[in-house]
Amino acid sequence: MVHSYEIPSLLEEIMTWEKEIKQKVPYLETPTGYFLQFDPTENGGYRSSPADAIMFAGTGMDGIHFSFLTEFGSVTDLSLAPIIRVDPMDFGNCAKIVAKNIRDFFTLHFSDHEGLLLNDFESKEHYLTYLKDQEGDDEESEYFDKKKWQWQKNEVRDFAMLRFGFQPILDGYAYMQEVRQARWNELIVTTSDGLGVIVRSTSVDGQNKPVPHPWHMKEIPDRELEQLKSYIVSAEQAGLFGFIRDCQVQGVDDYEVIQAICDQLISLGLPLEAKRLAYCMDMSSLI
């Protein structure tokens, strides 16, 4: 079954709201601090951008972007989809879960946890130190008025909390740890990018427990084309999805391998995932 994805109402409302208030906060590049968008075919365009991701926010910094994770079609209501951060420059650690859903994402953001959404911290103490350092950074220049920037930023935060009924998340660090642990507990197949695979319609009991691909947690032998293509066309879904994630992490970009993956995704009713994968692997001509 081919899935279609509609923009979550909250994202649509925030995009409209941004246009309404933009003139009130001219010192901010965008009111939310993100470049918001919605195109179900767009996953960010980097090789580390998961094929089952739909980008909705760019930061304008080092290619970092935020996306809905559709779990290869398992989540069709994007208001319920987990939110990931993709940092193409953080090699080997590019994709991270940052929020349970789009509402929690914006609640974190407007609860002054932008730094937590953009960065990883070794401990809560490191995060608290980061917050103190941010508060103490009062550097001014003739080109940038930080006090004006902060005042307008706070004004947007207050507008948003009231307009959308966000309830502040006080302990953002604890929230994110809980979300990531909850995802880990749901995984039926682990992958080297840490996202893993969740297929809600698949039983994980007894003999039906999914089997990872043959190169799980190993280097994928991208020169053994026939062996790889044979696996792709015969793999169970969970194993195949894990294989795709690991291919993206490892940068497997052989044309025949990506072609075989895209063909298999299309046969499973996932043409958008195939299109996104081909695009971010610079092989748009495949689809």
Side-chain angles (χ1 to χ4, degrees):
M1 177 181 178
V2 178
H3 299 294
S4 60
Y5 298 98
E6 296 183 359
I7 184 171
S9 58
L10 177 62
L11 177 60
E12 187 171 34
E13 289 167 11
I14 288 179
M15 291 172 70
T16 299
W17 169 74
E18 270 202 317
K19 295 176 183 177
E20 294 172 358
I21 69 166
K22 185 173 178 58
Q23 298 304 318
K24 298 179 180 179
V25 287
Y27 210 68
L28 305 182
E29 190 168 13
T30 68
T32 60
Y34 302 123
F35 300 96
L36 301 178
Q37 64 169 67
F38 185 75
D39 179 349
T41 67
E42 172 65 63
N43 72 336
Y46 289 87
R47 294 195 174 190
S48 53
S49 302
D52 58 331
I54 299 175
M55 175 183 170
F56 69 88
T59 65
M61 301 183 299
D62 298 325
I64 297 172
H65 53 282
F66 297 96
S67 301
F68 302 102
L69 195 66
T70 72
E71 316 287 11
F72 290 97
S74 292
V75 181
T76 55
D77 181 350
L78 295 183
S79 68
L80 304 177
I83 306 301
I84 61 170
R85 177 188 72 237
V86 179
D87 182 351
M89 301 297 107
D90 191 4
F91 302 109
N93 193 38
C94 295
K96 287 280 192 178
I97 294 286
V98 295
K100 184 178 180 181
N101 52 49
I102 187 70
R103 173 164 285 275
D104 283 7
F105 172 83
F106 280 113
T107 302
L108 276 170
H109 175 74
F110 289 117
S111 296
D112 294 330
H113 292 301
E114 304 102 305
L116 195 59
L117 290 166
L118 287 167
N119 305 283
D120 283 321
F121 299 91
E122 294 179 6
S123 66
K124 186 172 183 177
E125 288 69 29
H126 281 90
Y127 177 53
L128 294 176
T129 298
Y130 164 85
L131 291 178
K132 289 181 180 179
D133 290 343
Q134 293 296 109
E135 290 176 0
D137 182 10
D138 293 323
E139 183 178 347
E140 298 285 350
S141 76
E142 59 181 307
Y143 305 106
F144 180 68
D145 186 335
K146 185 173 181 180
K147 290 182 179 179
K148 180 184 290 187
W149 174 82
Q150 189 63 58
W151 184 84
Q152 293 190 6
K153 187 168 172 287
N154 291 344
E155 189 174 34
V156 168
R157 177 198 63 203
D158 294 342
F159 286 162
M161 298 297 275
L162 182 63
R163 172 77 172 263
F164 302 105
F166 296 135
Q167 297 299 312
I169 295 176
L170 300 180
D171 193 338
Y173 185 86
Y175 166 88
M176 195 164 292
Q177 294 303 303
E178 290 171 5
V179 167
R180 290 176 175 174
Q181 184 60 52
R183 181 173 183 82
W184 179 261
N185 294 340
E186 282 189 280
L187 297 184
I188 58 174
V189 170
T190 59
T191 54
S192 53
D193 63 358
L195 291 179
V197 175
I198 295 175
V199 183
R200 292 182 171 86
S201 61
T202 301
S203 172
V204 296
D205 297 326
Q207 295 181 351
N208 292 322
K209 186 173 182 179
V211 178
H213 63 82
W215 308 278
H216 181 244
M217 304 310 289
K218 300 176 184 177
E219 183 177 355
I220 295 173
D222 56 349
R223 294 185 179 182
E224 299 179 13
L225 297 182
E226 294 309 314
Q227 186 178 2
L228 294 177
K229 290 193 292 183
S230 177
Y231 172 74
I232 291 166
V233 298
S234 62
E236 294 181 353
Q237 286 191 27
L240 175 65
F241 297 157
F243 177 76
I244 294 171
R245 292 213 193 287
D246 287 342
C247 280
Q248 289 197 253
V249 172
Q250 294 186 29
V252 176
D253 60 358
D254 182 89
Y255 185 92
E256 292 185 42
V257 173
I258 302 303
Q259 175 75 76
I261 292 174
C262 289
D263 289 346
Q264 193 65 10
L265 285 171
I266 290 171
S267 74
L268 293 172
L270 299 170
L272 286 178
E273 285 74 6
K275 185 172 184 176
R276 295 185 210 113
L277 179 63
Y279 174 69
C280 69
M281 302 304 283
D282 299 320
M283 300 182 191
S284 295
S285 60
L286 289 175
I287 307 299

